[in-house]
Amino acid sequence: MSLIVTVILAVVLALVVCAVAVQVVIARRRRQLRERFGPEYERTVEAQDSRRAGERELREREERHDALDIRPLPAPVRERYSRDWAHVQEQFVDRPDDAVHEADRLVTSLMSERGYPTAGYEQQLKDLSVEHGNTLEHYRAAHQVNERSSHHQATTEELRGAMVHYRALFEELLHNGDRPGTSPA
């Protein structure tokens, strides 16, 4: 009888240890996804039927992203894009609508130069979310104003805001995810 109780207790203990280990692994993976995707984590989870489905979506984005050939930009290319951005900003005073459209085009060109696919706005968001989740909301806001601007429905203040939003993602893409003046450790 005591042998049976000992075996049952050992099995129960093993099951409890396995359950705890699974929970620890799930919690660690969830924390990693939150850290990597930033605000995009909650946005994606809320858009899905369950947390599990949202996290699966994020892992699929990581897999797709890992298969992309994302490249850092050489210094001369970064300098060219910086000059192009300065030109776009200068345009804003006289032609704000055109400047915002040009900022969108420049960000898309920069994405392509880095190795991101640029066909389809929604896919761009998903691809960018893996490394640029913290600035993705800037891109969404800028894109929305750009769309409204195409129909002459954006105010000058909204267009100014769009330029600021585009600039946030532009800077991150331009400097390979690092802020200017910082170097990767």
Side-chain angles (χ1 to χ4, degrees):
M1 184 72 143
S2 69
L3 179 62
I4 292 174
V5 171
T6 303
V7 169
I8 290 173
L9 286 175
V11 168
V12 168
L13 182 61
L15 290 174
V16 167
V17 167
C18 286
V20 168
V22 166
Q23 289 302 313
V24 166
V25 167
I26 289 171
R28 183 174 50 103
R29 183 63 180 145
R30 182 168 290 151
R31 186 181 72 251
Q32 289 171 337
L33 286 171
R34 279 190 170 143
E35 288 171 3
R36 182 160 199 188
F37 285 91
E40 191 64 16
Y41 173 88
E42 289 301 328
R43 176 186 266 282
T44 302
V45 166
E46 288 174 10
Q48 298 293 326
D49 296 332
S50 67
R51 180 168 300 282
R52 174 181 270 163
E55 290 176 350
R56 184 175 39 249
E57 160 75 19
L58 294 171
R59 285 190 302 275
E60 288 169 2
R61 290 182 191 186
E62 285 180 320
E63 289 173 14
R64 175 180 160 87
H65 184 273
D66 290 347
L68 298 174
D69 182 24
I70 306 300
R71 323 170 270 290
L73 296 174
V77 174
R78 282 196 315 271
E79 291 167 13
R80 177 176 46 90
Y81 273 103
S82 290
R83 285 190 305 272
D84 291 348
W85 183 264
H87 177 71
V88 168
Q89 285 183 304
E90 290 169 5
Q91 277 184 309
F92 186 84
V93 174
D94 295 325
R95 299 187 328 271
D97 285 308
D98 293 341
V100 168
H101 298 313
E102 186 62 20
D104 181 72
R105 187 204 61 74
L106 193 58
V107 165
T108 302
S109 173
L110 181 54
M111 288 171 53
S112 178
E113 186 105 28
R114 290 283 316 275
Y116 287 97
T118 57
Y121 172 69
E122 290 301 320
Q123 189 60 53
Q124 286 177 356
L125 289 173
K126 289 177 182 180
D127 292 338
L128 287 168
S129 71
V130 177
E131 287 187 0
H132 305 284
N134 289 321
T135 55
L136 207 53
E137 204 52 45
H138 287 287
Y139 188 44
R140 281 189 177 95
H143 182 78
Q144 185 178 47
V145 172
N146 187 40
E147 291 291 312
R148 292 184 54 234
S149 174
S150 296
H151 299 77
H152 305 293
Q153 297 173 341
T155 67
T156 303
E157 194 55 38
E158 289 171 325
L159 294 168
R160 183 176 286 104
M163 291 295 290
V164 170
H165 290 307
Y166 275 126
R167 174 81 183 208
L169 179 59
F170 178 84
E171 284 294 326
E172 229 180 69
L173 287 168
L174 185 68
H175 297 285
N176 307 320
D178 299 320
R179 285 291 178 205
T182 64
S183 59

